[in-house]
Amino acid sequence: MKENKKLKFSFLIVAMISLSLLLAMIPTTFNFITTNSRGVMTSYMHEDKKLIEDDFYKSKAFDEALIRPLLYWTSTSVIDENDNRNYEKDYLENKKESAKKQLSYVKNIKYIAINKDTNEVYSNTDYKTIEDFKKNIKGKCDVYVSSNDYNTSYTKEIKNKTYEKANVNKELGDVLVYNLKDFDVCISINKNFENYSGYYDKVSEIKIDFDSEVFYFKIIIVSSIISLILFIASIVIYKKMKCEVLDRNSFYLKFYKTIPLEIYIIVGILLLCSLIGIIKTGYSVYYYYNVLDHLVYTFICIFGLFTIYYILRKELKSFDKPIEILKTSLIVRVLILGKKIFKDTNKVTKSVPLAKRIIILAALSVGVGTIGWFIGFLFGSTLLLFLFGPILSLTIVILYVYYLIKKLAYLSYIMEGTERIKGGDIHYKLDIIGDDNFSNLAENINNIGEGLDKAIYNQLKSERLKSELITNVSHDLKTPLTSIINYIELIKKEEDIKPEHIKDYVNVLDSKSKRLKVLIEDLFEASKASSGNLELNMEKIDITQLLRQAIGEMEEKLSKANLDLKLRVPEEKTYIMADGKKLYRVLENLLSNISKYSLNNTRVYIDIIEEDDKVKLTMKNISSYELNFDPEEIMERFKRADESRNTEGSGLGLAIARDLVNAQGGRFEIDIDGDLFKSVVEFNLID
């Protein structure tokens, strides 16, 4: 089952990762297609649109990321102040110089800009006309932008193929920010790029970025398809598996519930805001940014939101009512705790006047200090601030602490007294000091000690009377029973008994009288064992040898039940300190129980094990009766496994065994597992 949970959890993680990755790719892909800075699709200059344009010079990257700034700088380099009367002359001159400076940094291009109204020319070549420039300069891609009476056209030549757009005012209007009624700009991209060390090579940089973005975009498309397939496969398998990853008793679900609900909400809001911010940034940028970072950050936000949703959904299902999830809220927990503290305080102050006094003193101290400070500030008096504030409050606090220490000292005295009473000194009496809850507590403890002393005395008296009664009754029954048994023996010796069926009566009387004798002897011994009125002859005994002897004596009874005895004992002698006769009686009782109550044709396992300076003797057998009782119950007097009481036995065997083992300083216990009955006798191991 655990393995199935782990497997289902693995499919859940795969499904969440693949779906998060798929959703993260959507805004990233959308940015490629829609934003002005993205360049993987075909430019507005071309009719044969492609989602992924492999030709850099036909892409949006070329027209948006490269030509737009170049066009701005070249056109600005020839602006005329007469066409821009809203701007100061110095301002326009600064803009022209700034544009020329930017153009000086750009390598691997040739350009010429002409203001047709003023005939001003700016170029990084020696040509002064557009015709000469076009005639002599042929690059990888040649761009010609011309404006006639504010109507701007765009011509692009790539590999001897010309592309034209008659009106590009909409596309390039925001670039031509300074009024140029009539101008021409020609830009030619070098066929062979040169490495200009230390210079800003904008053409090369944008082309490298474009190639990277095309590569990433292809990977994104393939990854999206793989992610979709993985998600569908994983979620189908996850739904078909019947086990629950997080059930109500799951450790992890209980741990998640310890995290306040506000944490999930705050983290969820932060992730959502971050996701929106990342997507908005991708929509609005006009420059190249790291697509891989954008994808990773988007994936983290989406995966985090899915994780929070899954956990909260499982928490909701684990409650009987969904509203109970508010119990995990930190605010609700604080309110519940505050309510509990208020109730407890109210209860304590009602039942314990001392607590009320302490609270009143504390409130009084704070109140006096606050009032003192307020009066001092009200009258602007430093003396009042000092007298009514700290001094008065400190005095009350000192009195409060003294009173509290005095009461706590008395409480400590009461605790020491209870320790003495608990240790057995039940006649110890506490001094009654004052008249409050502590003095009442001391008086009650004194009364408990007296009551305990009386209860112990009555219990001992009752046990003693019970044992004496059993002993006396057993002794009184022995004498007439012995006479009955003797007379039965005499009758059995008579040869001529008429009629014949009288012999059967005599045999029944003989059997029942002997069973009654065994019962009385067991009762007598049980009484002595439970009262501790035993004479023990403690000596060093080899428990293994004693066990073998007991098994030998009981071999006939065990054989009648067809029991297969499996004995496992140490090879070396195992010594304990015990009374040999009493311990033998214990073993005899246990083996007798096995012979009476074991299921025929089963195995009986008897082991002697040494561990941690202890010797454990265990006997295990399969019962022929249903063991529908508690192990402690079977050791009570007169309790028998055979509730019908059809078998011989007094029901005292286990009780006698327990009392005899305890009297010798050992430990005896019973364990039941289905129909397996197990008894354990434990003694200290000696050398």
Side-chain angles (χ1 to χ4, degrees):
M1 190 66 175
K2 288 183 179 179
E3 293 300 324
N4 289 340
K5 284 186 177 182
K6 289 180 180 178
L7 187 61
K8 186 172 183 178
F9 178 73
S10 300
F11 282 113
L12 173 65
I13 294 298
V14 171
M16 289 175 63
I17 290 175
S18 55
L19 181 59
S20 300
L21 191 59
L22 180 63
L23 294 178
M25 290 175 186
I26 292 173
T28 305
T29 307
F30 192 70
N31 288 338
F32 276 124
I33 300 171
T34 59
T35 60
N36 289 333
S37 62
R38 303 275 46 95
V40 293
M41 71 178 299
T42 307
S43 167
Y44 61 86
M45 280 293 296
H46 306 276
E47 297 298 331
D48 52 336
K49 302 292 185 184
K50 293 181 182 179
L51 188 62
I52 304 176
E53 179 59 70
D54 293 327
D55 191 344
F56 169 63
Y57 300 103
K58 293 176 67 176
S59 68
K60 282 185 71 176
F62 180 78
D63 285 321
E64 301 292 345
L66 180 60
I67 295 302
R68 283 174 65 88
L70 289 176
L71 182 59
Y72 169 78
W73 293 327
T74 52
S75 63
T76 302
S77 68
V78 293
I79 57 175
D80 181 21
E81 61 182 74
N82 293 323
D83 294 329
N84 293 274
R85 303 182 188 278
N86 294 329
Y87 296 99
E88 294 290 337
K89 182 178 180 180
D90 292 341
Y91 176 81
L92 292 174
E93 288 297 328
N94 288 334
K95 287 297 177 183
K96 288 176 73 171
E97 291 301 319
S98 175
K100 291 176 181 179
K101 188 175 181 180
Q102 289 293 334
L103 285 170
S104 68
Y105 294 150
V106 181
K107 305 301 177 182
N108 285 317
I109 67 167
K110 298 290 189 294
Y111 60 86
I112 184 172
I114 299 176
N115 186 334
K116 291 187 286 188
D117 291 330
T118 62
N119 292 322
E120 182 179 357
V121 178
Y122 186 74
S123 175
N124 62 349
T125 67
D126 295 331
Y127 304 107
K128 300 300 180 183
T129 64
I130 293 294
E131 290 73 18
D132 290 341
F133 185 91
K134 287 183 177 181
K135 182 179 178 181
N136 295 284
I137 300 296
K138 291 294 180 182
K140 191 88 171 180
C141 177
D142 298 311
V143 172
Y144 174 58
V145 179
S146 179
S147 177
N148 294 305
D149 197 17
Y150 298 116
N151 182 24
T152 306
S153 63
Y154 187 171
T155 304
K156 183 193 299 185
E157 187 175 331
I158 308 171
K159 298 177 182 178
N160 298 322
K161 189 172 182 180
T162 303
Y163 304 91
E164 293 183 89
K165 194 170 180 66
N167 188 340
V168 290
N169 287 57
K170 180 180 178 182
E171 289 81 1
L172 300 177
D174 58 329
V175 176
L176 306 172
V177 293
Y178 302 107
N179 294 326
L180 274 175
K181 185 177 181 181
D182 299 296
F183 74 92
D184 289 330
V185 171
C186 208
I187 300 170
S188 178
I189 310 299
N190 293 355
K191 289 183 177 180
N192 299 314
F193 286 11
E194 297 181 19
N195 184 16
Y196 294 91
S197 178
Y199 288 96
Y200 171 52
D201 189 356
K202 187 173 182 65
V203 181
S204 178
E205 180 193 28
I206 292 176
K207 189 175 187 311
I208 291 171
D209 283 342
F210 168 78
D211 293 337
S212 298
E213 302 303 341
V214 169
F215 175 72
Y216 282 136
F217 190 70
K218 290 178 178 178
I219 289 178
I220 285 172
I221 291 176
V222 174
S223 300
S224 299
I225 296 171
I226 294 172
S227 297
L228 181 61
I229 295 170
L230 274 176
F231 170 70
I232 294 172
S234 300
I235 204 68
V236 167
I237 296 173
Y238 173 82
K239 291 289 185 183
K240 284 188 176 181
M241 297 182 76
K242 300 301 181 182
C243 62
E244 282 290 336
V245 175
L246 293 176
D247 53 32
R248 289 194 173 193
N249 299 319
S250 171
F251 166 79
Y252 295 103
L253 186 59
K254 290 178 181 178
F255 171 74
Y256 295 145
K257 287 181 180 179
T258 61
I259 301 173
L261 180 63
E262 292 85 351
I263 299 295
Y264 291 114
I265 294 173
I266 292 170
V267 173
I269 292 172
L270 289 175
L271 289 172
L272 186 60
C273 292
S274 299
L275 180 61
I276 294 171
I278 292 168
I279 294 173
K280 280 187 174 180
T281 301
Y283 291 161
S284 61
V285 294
Y286 288 92
Y287 49 85
Y288 274 90
Y289 66 98
N290 193 314
V291 176
L292 189 58
D293 286 350
H294 182 275
L295 182 62
V296 169
Y297 293 145
T298 307
F299 166 77
I300 291 172
C301 292
I302 295 174
F303 184 79
L305 288 170
F306 276 142
T307 303
I308 291 172
Y309 166 76
Y310 179 78
I311 292 173
L312 291 180
R313 183 168 169 270
K314 286 297 181 181
E315 285 191 14
L316 278 170
K317 290 180 70 176
S318 68
F319 292 107
D320 295 330
K321 297 179 180 177
I323 193 69
E324 292 180 357
I325 196 174
L326 293 177
K327 292 180 181 178
T328 65
S329 166
L330 183 62
I331 296 173
V332 174
R333 290 176 185 176
V334 170
L335 290 175
I336 293 173
L337 180 62
K339 184 179 179 182
K340 184 177 182 301
I341 292 173
F342 177 77
K343 282 185 175 180
D344 292 345
T345 304
N346 190 41
K347 183 178 179 182
V348 169
T349 53
K350 285 182 179 179
S351 60
V352 184
L354 176 62
K356 189 181 292 184
R357 294 175 197 172
I358 292 172
I359 293 171
I360 291 171
L361 282 172
L364 185 62
S365 174
V366 175
V368 168
T370 305
I371 293 169
W373 282 97
F374 177 74
I375 293 172
F377 278 116
L378 189 64
F379 293 98
S381 171
T382 306
L383 181 62
L384 286 173
L385 275 172
F386 185 69
L387 288 177
F388 287 95
I391 291 181
L392 201 55
S393 295
L394 184 61
T395 303
I396 295 174
V397 169
I398 291 172
L399 293 173
Y400 157 68
V401 171
Y402 170 75
Y403 178 78
L404 188 60
I405 290 174
K406 186 178 177 181
K407 290 299 177 182
L408 289 176
Y410 186 45
L411 178 61
S412 178
Y413 165 74
I414 294 173
M415 292 174 66
E416 290 175 1
T418 55
E419 286 292 330
R420 290 185 61 174
I421 294 173
K422 187 183 77 171
D425 189 3
I426 58 177
H427 300 291
Y428 179 77
K429 298 295 180 183
L430 294 167
D431 296 332
I432 308 300
I433 302 174
D435 184 17
D436 56 20
N437 295 94
F438 287 162
S439 58
N440 291 338
L441 177 61
E443 188 174 357
N444 289 336
I445 290 172
N446 287 340
N447 293 336
I448 289 172
E450 292 176 1
L452 185 62
D453 187 21
K454 191 178 295 184
I456 291 172
Y457 173 77
N458 290 334
Q459 185 178 3
L460 290 174
K461 182 179 179 182
S462 175
E463 289 291 331
R464 186 172 61 252
L465 289 173
K466 191 192 305 180
S467 297
E468 288 177 358
L469 175 63
I470 293 172
T471 303
N472 292 335
V473 169
S474 301
H475 186 270
D476 291 343
L477 288 173
K478 271 186 177 182
T479 303
L481 182 59
T482 302
S483 299
I484 292 171
I485 291 172
N486 290 336
Y487 278 114
I488 290 173
E489 288 295 327
L490 291 174
I491 293 172
K492 286 172 64 178
K493 290 178 181 180
E494 292 291 332
E495 295 181 357
D496 188 19
I497 298 177
K498 299 293 183 177
E500 285 295 325
H501 64 268
I502 297 298
K503 291 182 179 179
D504 295 331
Y505 297 160
V506 172
N507 289 332
V508 171
L509 287 173
D510 182 47
S511 173
K512 298 300 181 182
S513 62
K514 286 180 180 177
R515 183 179 175 187
L516 182 59
K517 181 181 179 182
V518 171
L519 177 60
I520 292 172
E521 287 176 350
D522 286 350
L523 184 62
F524 186 71
E525 188 167 1
S527 175
K528 289 197 297 180
S530 63
S531 64
N533 188 21
L534 286 173
E535 292 184 6
L536 297 174
N537 181 24
M538 303 294 286
E539 56 185 343
K540 187 176 180 180
I541 294 174
D542 179 9
I543 190 172
T544 303
Q545 182 182 355
L546 192 65
L547 175 63
R548 291 184 185 277
Q549 181 182 343
I551 292 173
E553 293 290 334
M554 298 292 297
E555 187 175 2
E556 185 179 349
K557 287 187 177 181
L558 294 170
S559 298
K560 284 183 180 179
N562 294 323
L563 298 176
D564 184 8
L565 204 63
K566 299 293 183 181
L567 185 64
R568 187 180 66 171
V569 296
E571 294 181 1
E572 298 180 357
K573 294 183 177 181
T574 306
Y575 291 107
I576 62 170
M577 188 63 69
D579 185 317
K581 292 182 179 180
K582 301 295 187 294
L583 184 57
Y584 182 83
R585 179 63 192 276
V586 171
L587 300 178
E588 187 180 38
N589 284 3
L590 295 177
L591 291 170
S592 177
N593 271 4
I594 288 173
S595 66
K596 292 175 186 176
Y597 303 116
S598 290
L599 185 66
N600 288 345
N601 302 311
T602 58
R603 297 182 184 89
V604 177
Y605 295 90
I606 301 178
D607 302 328
I608 293 180
I609 303 171
E610 298 179 11
E611 57 178 28
D612 299 331
D613 298 328
K614 300 285 185 181
V615 177
K616 281 188 178 180
L617 167 62
T618 60
M619 297 185 182
K620 292 178 284 188
N621 65 285
I622 301 298
S623 174
S624 58
Y625 300 94
E626 183 181 357
L627 301 177
N628 55 353
F629 43 74
D630 186 80
E632 291 296 324
E633 185 183 354
I634 194 64
M635 285 194 289
E636 295 298 323
R637 295 177 188 174
F638 305 107
K639 182 69 180 181
R640 294 166 64 179
D642 175 19
E643 294 291 345
S644 63
R645 310 185 77 86
N646 290 325
T647 58
E648 62 180 69
S650 61
L652 293 168
L654 291 177
I656 292 172
R658 177 196 60 192
D659 292 337
L660 288 177
V661 170
N662 292 340
Q664 296 174 79
R667 186 177 67 87
F668 181 80
E669 65 178 23
I670 295 297
D671 188 23
I672 294 173
D673 185 3
D675 290 333
L676 178 66
F677 186 88
K678 176 182 175 182
S679 57
V680 180
V681 177
E682 182 179 283
F683 282 94
N684 291 327
L685 178 66
I686 62 173
D687 297 330

